[in-house]
Amino acid sequence: LPELTWIYESVTYMNDVGLKGSFYQNDEQFVTFTDLQYYMACKIMWNPEMSKEEYFDIMRTACIDYYGSEKVYDLLMIFEDCRDDHMWSDINTTTTDIYALDEAKVNAQYDTIFNLIDEIREEVTDADCLARFNRAVIGLQYDVISELHPLKYVNGSADEKEIFVARYKDMYDALYK
């Protein structure tokens, strides 16, 4: 999952304590908004004095220019709102723990997340922007589905299993369009 606030907080903290240089490394096997993460890391490392408001304004503009819709920014902000501020005090056991998401908050936003993804796909008309969005969001969808709902698939009701399978199918259908 994209950790865009973490990038800002880390770089500004390093600047505040007087660190003169840093190296940004990202795991490219997970393609969830990697391009945006690299871009935002470059922006904040170039100017570690920028305000959080400036940082998020740049991110909003990047979402419009690169992915074709301001709703991409709105989608990312849902995840920002679902961050778990206690990530370093707990033992991390799942991807969502590592990426500091409060599972209850994400579960509450589950339908909103998937509906917004569908709206973005319908809204974006530029083929390149849509391809970049689909590439970025497929990892996000997979993380949300696989990390937050495996127990529903195993132990859930027939209706919950049907929804789970339908969401996986939708995710793969979107990937291969």
Side-chain angles (χ1 to χ4, degrees):
L1 299 177
E3 276 298 308
L4 298 157
T5 297
W6 178 86
I7 293 168
Y8 175 84
E9 292 168 352
S10 297
V11 173
T12 55
Y13 171 77
M14 289 185 278
N15 183 61
D16 290 347
V17 298
L19 187 68
K20 298 295 181 200
S22 65
F23 173 77
Y24 179 74
Q25 179 178 346
N26 195 358
D27 186 352
E28 288 197 33
Q29 80 180 26
F30 301 104
V31 295
T32 307
F33 293 95
T34 303
D35 297 335
L36 182 61
Q37 290 181 77
Y38 283 142
Y39 179 75
M40 295 309 299
C42 289
K43 285 294 195 180
I44 190 64
M45 286 193 291
W46 188 262
N47 179 12
E49 301 289 329
M50 91 170 54
S51 71
K52 202 170 201 175
E53 183 177 288
E54 290 173 290
Y55 178 82
F56 280 96
D57 284 345
I58 291 168
M59 187 189 317
R60 179 187 305 275
T61 301
C63 288
I64 294 166
D65 293 345
Y66 193 69
Y67 299 111
S69 174
E70 187 172 0
K71 289 181 181 178
V72 175
Y73 176 84
D74 297 339
L75 177 66
L76 295 170
M77 291 304 99
I78 291 172
F79 285 95
E80 290 299 316
D81 291 341
C82 292
R83 291 183 67 201
D84 180 356
D85 295 329
H86 302 93
M87 88 178 260
W88 301 116
S89 63
D90 299 330
I91 295 175
N92 295 327
T93 57
T94 69
T95 302
T96 52
D97 288 337
I98 293 169
Y99 291 113
L101 289 179
D102 181 315
E103 291 182 23
K105 290 179 183 177
V106 174
N107 277 325
Q109 295 289 335
Y110 198 84
D111 289 329
T112 302
I113 291 166
F114 282 86
N115 290 336
L116 189 53
I117 289 169
D118 290 341
E119 286 176 28
I120 293 166
R121 285 187 174 130
E122 290 175 16
E123 177 183 297
V124 176
T125 57
D126 181 90
D128 291 335
C129 288
L130 185 59
R132 287 190 291 264
F133 175 73
N134 282 331
R135 178 181 178 272
V137 82
I138 198 72
L140 186 74
Q141 287 180 288
Y142 177 79
D143 283 346
V144 170
I145 292 171
S146 67
E147 292 297 335
L148 299 181
H149 290 283
L151 294 178
K152 282 192 177 181
Y153 183 72
V154 175
N155 300 320
S157 68
D159 288 342
E160 288 172 324
K161 289 179 184 179
E162 187 176 326
I163 290 168
F164 181 78
V165 170
R167 286 191 167 138
Y168 258 116
K169 182 182 178 322
D170 289 346
M171 178 181 70
Y172 284 102
D173 288 349
L175 178 64
Y176 293 108
K177 279 186 179 179

